[in-house]
Amino acid sequence: VQLQASGGGLVQAGGSRKLSCRAPRMILSEYNAHILGWYRQAPGKQRELVATIAPRGTATYAEAVKDRFTISRETTRRAVHLQMNSLDPEDTGVYYCYVKDSRTAREYWGQGTQVTVSS
């Protein structure tokens, strides 16, 4: 599964940014069987879960981003989005999208997109 992430960049604290990740070659039945999500890795820290969304739309969030970030699926484009609001410098890091086959638990990772929040 090939994943194409986009949307990273530099943003001021308090601002917003939307990340997107597409799996253009994934057929619909495969897309609907995958959990989609975002992880991030800050400098000097381990990669951590940000949010996931199940095939039927149930979303889970890390405590640090709850009420600020929203994850969503876009079936027609085989995409997953992460709307990030009220950004804080602590949100700086490389954001990775990932998909996990709910049938086999196999995971696939995107290349990462850098988000830098300036104070």
Side-chain angles (χ1 to χ4, degrees), residues 60-108:
T60 60
Y61 298 92
E63 196 63 36
V65 307
K66 199 174 291 185
D67 299 325
R68 297 189 298 122
F69 291 12
T70 302
I71 190 170
S72 61
R73 303 174 71 108
E74 186 181 1
T75 303
T76 55
R77 298 180 71 230
R78 308 294 190 265
V80 57
H81 306 292
L82 185 68
Q83 177 65 46
M84 305 184 293
N85 299 327
S86 302
L87 282 163
D88 183 273
E90 291 291 313
D91 296 315
T92 293
V94 179
Y95 283 70
Y96 298 90
C97 66
Y98 105 119
V99 300
K100 180 178 180 179
D101 193 323
S102 62
R103 303 161 297 183
T104 65
R106 187 168 182 178
E107 299 179 349
Y108 304 89

Side-chain angles (χ1 to χ4, degrees), residues 9-16 86-89 116-119:
L10 177 64
V11 60
Q12 288 188 333
S16 298
S86 302
L87 282 163
D88 183 273
T116 303
V117 184
S118 62
S119 57

Side-chain angles (χ1 to χ4, degrees), residues 23-38:
R25 297 179 181 177
M26 187 179 280
I27 63 175
L28 181 59
S29 60
E30 291 179 326
Y31 176 85
N32 288 337
H34 280 70
I35 299 165
L36 311 177
W38 292 91

